[in-house]
């Protein structure tokens, strides 16, 4: 399998949709495209920092539970900096990134469990083997928030002001919470209003969307038997969101919105972005596009496209 280990030049640009093909037919919509990261997703922002943190604290192995993208990212940076990586993937997940993880030297562990159960399993393995645990909800999670907060600073610097809305795909809620913290830090310096957040996920199950739409102030886990993973929704679907309470709080604080998308919607938008805007976008990321189209009118909105297809 040929994979270029040479990193692309830095650049996670803010792209005005109307400067491309104007697929969304709005003048006020911007894409924050994370596909230019080395492994093609926003996970590279946290993976490199976790690997460096593991090395700084004397670890020789870093581990993570993943549905694919995060595992590929951890394996990439582990190889780059000379660490061994252990990647846990539910065996029934349809991840296209297993070969890539192996290419980067990642040791793959598969079990016939759901993602949340794989997180628990990897956490136990990490504790018993003395590995650095980079999984969501670990003792190292604060590094995720710090890393993702850079997205907000880049948006603000490129736009020159706060947008009215930011639309984000949510699974665990970690990315959204980190982006919120970045805007909160900017708001404290400038006095500008923090954007309202639009949280978007799969109709097949996500606790953040479920809880907000029902007016719950405390996150509710879903029944695992009602969760339906598909090739399209795997980065989003969850019965437990590890930073769900933090993300839920953000929605209430910023007077945000929460919306579901179907696999068909996400896949359609992904194909249209490729055809009209020449952007390769992971279908799950396109939930944020679907949500923005339903909420935004004349306001400025930045849509976070978290990965390439």
């Amino acid at each position: 399998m040929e994979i270029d280990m040479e990193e692309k030049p830095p650049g996670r640009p803010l792209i005005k949709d109307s400067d491309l093909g104007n697929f969304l037919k709005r003048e006020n919509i911007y894409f924050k495209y994370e596909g230019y990261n080395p492994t093609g997703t926003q996970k590279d922002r946290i993976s490199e920092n976790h690997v460096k943190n593991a090395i700084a604290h004397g670890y020789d192995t870093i581990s993570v539970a993943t549905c694919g993208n995060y595992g590929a990212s951890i394996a990439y940076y582990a190889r780059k900096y000379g660490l061994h990586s252990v990647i846990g993937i539910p065996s029934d997940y349809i991840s296209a990134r297993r070969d890539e993880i192996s290419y980067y030297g990642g040791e793959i562990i598969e079990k016939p469990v759901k993602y949340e159960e794989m997180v628990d399993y990897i956490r136990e393995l990490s504790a018993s083997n003395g590995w650095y645990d980079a999984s969501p909800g670990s003792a190292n999670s604060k590094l995720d928030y710090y890393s993702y907060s850079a997205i907000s600073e880049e948006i603000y610097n490129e736009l020159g002001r706060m947008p009215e809305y930011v639309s984000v795909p949510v699974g665990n809620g970690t990315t959204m919470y980190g982006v919120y913290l970045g805007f909160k830090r900017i708001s404290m310096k400038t006095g500008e209003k923090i954007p309202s957040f639009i949280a978007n996920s799969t109709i097949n199950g996500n606790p953040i969307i479920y809880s907000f739409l029902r007016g719950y102030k405390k996150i509710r886990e879903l029944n695992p038997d009602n969760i339906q993973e598909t090739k399209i929704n795997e980065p989003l679907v969850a019965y437990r969101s590890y930073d769900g309470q933090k993300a839920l709080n953000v929605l209430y604080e910023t007077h945000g919105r929460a919306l579901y998308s179907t696999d068909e919607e996400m896949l359609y938008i992904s194909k249209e972005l490729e055809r009209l805007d020449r952007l390769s976008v992971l279908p799950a990321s396109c939930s944020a596009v679907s949500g923005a189209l339903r909420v935004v009118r004349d306001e400025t909105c930045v849509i976070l496209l978290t990965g390439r297809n």
Side-chain angles (χ1 to χ4, degrees):
M1 182 178 183
E2 289 294 325
I3 299 177
D4 186 8
M5 286 291 293
E6 188 67 27
E7 290 194 27
K8 295 182 179 181
R12 300 145 177 146
L14 193 62
I15 306 169
K16 194 169 185 178
D17 179 57
S18 58
D19 290 341
L20 297 171
N22 204 10
F23 162 56
L24 304 183
K25 295 181 172 57
R26 307 280 180 87
E27 291 293 325
N28 53 327
I29 298 287
Y30 294 82
F31 295 131
K32 184 60 173 171
Y33 181 59
E34 293 290 292
Y36 288 140
N37 289 309
T39 72
T41 75
Q42 92 283 13
K43 298 295 186 182
D44 288 348
R45 292 180 181 268
I46 64 176
S47 296
E48 184 168 24
N49 285 335
H50 277 301
V51 167
K52 288 180 176 179
N53 192 41
I55 292 170
H57 287 85
Y59 290 91
D60 59 13
T61 299
I62 186 168
S63 60
V64 69
T66 181
C67 59
N69 292 330
Y70 192 14
S73 183
I74 285 289
Y76 173 89
Y77 283 103
R79 172 171 166 170
K80 178 177 178 180
Y81 292 103
L83 281 188
H84 177 59
S85 60
V86 177
I87 313 298
I89 305 177
S91 56
D92 59 347
Y93 268 31
I94 314 165
S95 175
R97 309 201 73 168
R98 282 179 171 83
D99 289 346
E100 187 178 351
I101 291 168
S102 296
Y103 179 87
Y104 295 145
E107 177 187 343
I108 296 176
I109 296 176
E110 297 191 53
K111 287 180 70 67
V113 297
K114 291 188 178 293
Y115 167 76
E116 292 83 353
E117 293 156 4
M118 181 58 81
V119 170
D120 293 339
Y121 179 70
I122 290 295
R123 184 160 296 134
E124 292 169 4
L125 276 184
S126 299
S128 61
N129 288 283
W131 301 338
Y132 180 100
D133 182 17
S135 297
S138 74
N140 303 302
S141 287
K142 287 184 179 179
L143 196 56
D144 296 341
Y145 316 144
Y146 165 80
S147 302
Y148 286 140
S149 71
I151 293 174
S152 324
E153 295 166 5
E154 292 169 13
I155 290 172
Y156 185 83
N157 290 337
E158 293 182 68
L159 195 61
R161 59 183 172 84
M162 295 281 204
E164 281 79 26
Y165 284 103
V166 176
S167 189
V168 185
V170 295
N172 285 314
T174 310
T175 303
M176 190 173 90
Y177 182 65
V179 172
Y180 159 79
L181 288 180
F183 280 123
K184 184 175 182 179
R185 186 163 57 240
I186 294 167
S187 177
M188 292 174 66
K189 292 179 182 177
T190 67
E192 295 174 71
K193 182 183 176 183
I194 298 172
S196 293
F197 277 76
I198 306 170
N200 310 275
S201 197
T202 170
I203 198 169
N204 288 330
N206 182 273
I208 300 166
I209 311 299
Y210 175 88
S211 298
F212 185 79
L213 290 180
R214 285 159 179 77
Y216 300 145
K217 296 301 175 69
K218 186 174 181 180
I219 198 80
R220 304 284 183 94
E221 288 191 9
L222 306 183
N223 184 339
D225 294 336
N226 295 334
I227 296 301
Q228 298 178 29
E229 297 98 350
T230 70
K231 183 179 180 180
I232 301 299
N233 73 27
E234 281 175 359
L236 304 174
V237 71
Y239 68 80
R240 178 190 305 142
S241 291
Y242 289 93
D243 288 303
Q245 186 62 55
K246 293 180 174 66
L248 186 62
N249 293 344
V250 168
L251 289 176
Y252 283 115
E253 182 179 332
T254 67
H255 305 286
R257 298 283 298 276
L259 300 104
Y260 289 121
S261 295
T262 65
D263 281 10
E264 291 75 19
E265 285 178 289
M266 292 185 281
L267 188 58
Y268 169 76
I269 293 171
S270 176
K271 289 179 177 178
E272 290 299 285
L273 285 173
E274 178 78 40
R275 184 174 71 88
L276 296 174
D277 281 352
R278 301 177 302 282
L279 280 179
S280 173
V281 183
L282 189 72
S285 296
C286 294
S287 62
V289 180
S290 174
L293 285 173
R294 297 177 195 172
V295 173
V296 178
R297 295 295 176 260
D298 297 324
E299 305 91 347
T300 299
C301 177
V302 175
I303 300 173
L304 183 59
L305 300 176
T306 51
R308 65 174 180 253
N309 202 5

